[in-house]
Structures are given as C-alpha cells and as structure tokens.
Amino acid sequence: MSSNSKSNSLQNYPTPLSPPLPSISRDIELARAMTASSKSSLFGLSGRDVLYEDEWLIAVNKPKGIYCDTVLASVPRFLSDSPDSDQLCQENQSSTLELHLANRLDRDTSGVMVITKSHKVASMLVKAFTNHKVQKTYVAFCIGSAPQSERITIKSGHGRSKFGAWRVYAAGDVGRKLPGGSRVRDMETTFEVLSINGQRGYREPSECMKDEENSIVVEEKAVTDVDAKKDEILVRAFPRSGRTHQIRLHCQYLGASIVCTRATFSFVRIPKFNKLANRMHDG
C-alpha cells in the first residue's frame, strides 16, 4: 500500500473527542501494567478477601492492580483449603464447580466481584446484567470545573485510539471501525451532583431524581479551560453501559478528573440476590 493510500485510510478512522492525554501517560500505563502482572503472579485469595459465600456463588473483594482472571483462577485453591467451603460443596454440589465471573472490574479498580459456582446461576446473572436488572452505583470524588446542572446524562462513543488508550468518541461514530480492528461502541452515564466544595450535602437517589436533567450527546471535542477554578465535586454515577474506564472517561470529558470512587450494586426484582447485595453492603 502506498503512503498516500495509508494516509487516506487513517483519515477514515473516527477522531477521539476526549481531552488530549499527557505524553507521560504512556509511561504511567506501562508501569501500571508491569506492576499488575507482578502482583497478579503472586496473588492468592484469602479468607479476608471473601465477603460472602453460599452454594451458588462467592463474593470477593478484588484488590487494586489485580486482574479479574487472576482472582477467578485463585478461587479453586481457596475453596479446597477452606473447611466451610468444602462443607458447602459436599452438601449442595455433586459435580465439579463451574466457576464464572458474573461481573468484571478494571485492573486498577478495587471492589466487589461475584463469582458463580454453576452454569445455571451464571446464566441467571448474565441475563440480569443484560436486561439492566442490576444497577451499579458509584460515588466519585472529582477535581475540576463544577457542572451547571445537578443531574446530567452523557451519551457518547467508546473505543481505543491508535495509541491503545480508551477514549471518548462522538455518539455518531458508534459502529465505525477503529485502528486495530475494533469498533466504536455506545456509552451512557447519568451523573448526580451531590456537593461542590462541601456545599449542598449528600442526598438520597430519590431526592436527586426530582432534579431537571441535562442531556449531552457528544459530537464535538471536549473544551478544557486550564485557568478555570478547580472545585472539589462529589458525584453519584449510574453507568447504563459497562465500558472500560467509562466513568473516568465521561468525568474527564465533562472537565472533572476522578480522585477516588466507591462502588455498590443492587439487583432489581430478584429477591434472592437483593439479600446478597444487602449482606455485602452491610459488611
């Protein structure tokens, strides 16, 4: 292929609309990946990591910097070494455990992972996630420009740029091909502003639902003002989709970088799993 043909081919790829990443970000990402690989090779699930267990599933706290598949791979050894788990297996399961990840977390994110012990339960949970019967809620502390609206829903595209970084793309680019062969996927998050610089105070979701919502459909590059005042912003985020770094990407696009997050989830119209969620939240 000639240089002109290559140039024309590259021009057909959609353009990322996220604020530009600093040049040092590549070195930071490489260092994180190397650290995660090292930590993951030494990781072993222990009793203090287990939040809940029964004959159907086990809920564990995934540490930051550990891959989900590493946690999954460590479960059989933990179960074989645990007297309580052995008893559960003997009483309720007559065949070999069929372990599946019910949910995933980003490598650098800590939080609850649910691992099912049978194909049947895994199928139920996959269906629940697919049908949006599982609601994921994140409370995030951000630094940046305070939004004008108290409730914002942002819709955009999501994908990897030519440098391999996850970026925000235009909503109109969903379905278009990206370098490497992947395609832009849809991404949607609703944010509720809980407080700005400590003002307003924390509110329950039912109270936030009364606020007028501002909808943003991303079609243009993010505009950043480096001289703008940096506020401390507490937001509650409800990701409608489950894309990698979704909340971080949308916060970044809105002009506020995440400092830390806390995640919970609940099951809608599934009583058995709601009891599980309550047990994990109480713990």
Side-chain angles (χ1 to χ4, degrees):
M1 181 183 292
S2 66
S3 59
N4 288 337
S5 298
K6 289 182 179 179
S7 177
N8 291 334
S9 176
L10 288 174
Q11 290 175 0
N12 290 329
Y13 290 128
T15 303
L17 303 182
S18 304
L21 296 172
S23 58
I24 196 175
S25 62
R26 286 196 223 173
D27 295 332
I28 293 174
E29 174 59 24
L30 178 60
R32 284 176 175 171
M34 293 179 65
T35 300
S37 296
S38 177
K39 289 176 64 176
S40 294
S41 66
L42 300 174
F43 178 78
L45 194 66
S46 67
R48 64 177 179 273
D49 300 315
V50 177
L51 304 176
Y52 177 86
E53 184 191 356
D54 60 24
E55 64 268 36
W56 301 291
L57 49 80
I58 178 171
V60 303
N61 181 34
K62 184 189 85 69
K64 175 183 177 181
I66 300 294
Y67 292 102
C68 290
D69 290 329
T70 298
V71 178
L72 177 65
S74 69
V75 171
R77 175 175 291 183
F78 169 79
L79 295 178
S80 65
D81 292 341
S82 171
D84 294 335
S85 293
D86 281 340
Q87 185 176 2
L88 283 171
C89 292
Q90 293 170 7
E91 292 178 357
N92 299 291
Q93 300 186 58
S94 58
S95 59
T96 303
L97 293 175
E98 302 155 343
L99 300 175
H100 301 269
L101 289 173
N103 69 306
R104 285 181 174 271
L105 295 174
D106 292 336
R107 178 195 64 203
D108 296 318
T109 298
S110 61
V112 177
M113 280 178 49
V114 178
I115 299 171
T116 61
K117 296 181 178 179
S118 73
H119 296 318
K120 183 177 180 179
V121 177
S123 177
M124 289 174 59
L125 283 181
V126 168
K127 187 175 181 180
F129 277 96
T130 302
N131 294 338
H132 301 291
K133 291 185 177 180
V134 182
Q135 184 179 61
K136 302 175 186 177
T137 305
Y138 293 76
V139 175
F141 177 65
C142 309
I143 300 293
S145 301
Q148 299 300 310
S149 303
E150 293 189 356
R151 184 177 172 87
I152 303 168
T153 292
I154 177 171
K155 302 177 182 180
S156 73
H158 169 272
R160 286 185 186 271
S161 69
K162 63 181 179 180
F163 300 114
W166 294 104
R167 308 295 297 278
V168 170
Y169 287 84
D173 286 334
V174 171
R176 292 184 61 187
K177 190 174 181 180
L178 292 166
S182 64
R183 294 186 181 274
V184 178
R185 304 177 70 184
D186 64 296
M187 180 164 66
E188 179 179 343
T189 312
T190 294
F191 292 97
E192 297 168 348
V193 180
L194 302 179
S195 69
I196 300 174
N197 297 323
Q199 301 300 312
R200 279 189 219 162
Y202 194 91
R203 298 181 298 166
E204 292 299 320
S206 58
E207 297 176 302
C208 294
M209 289 294 289
K210 301 174 184 176
D211 296 331
E212 183 177 349
E213 183 172 300
N214 178 27
S215 294
I216 299 174
V217 179
V218 174
E219 295 294 350
E220 299 179 349
K221 277 185 174 290
V223 178
T224 56
D225 183 355
V226 295
D227 298 322
K229 176 187 175 184
K230 302 300 181 185
D231 297 300
E232 296 181 351
I233 313 158
L234 187 68
V235 300
R236 184 188 283 118
F238 300 95
R240 181 68 175 174
S241 47
R243 310 304 179 207
T244 304
H245 301 321
Q246 172 170 332
I247 297 174
R248 293 182 182 276
L249 287 169
H250 273 165
C251 281
Q252 181 193 30
Y253 183 88
L254 294 172
S257 299
I258 288 181
V259 176
C260 60
T261 59
R262 179 181 183 274
T264 60
F265 62 88
S266 60
F267 297 89
V268 182
R269 297 188 297 277
I270 308 180
K272 178 191 299 183
F273 292 129
N274 269 327
K275 292 179 181 178
L276 161 64
N278 290 334
R279 287 280 298 275
M280 290 191 291
H281 295 170
D282 293 341

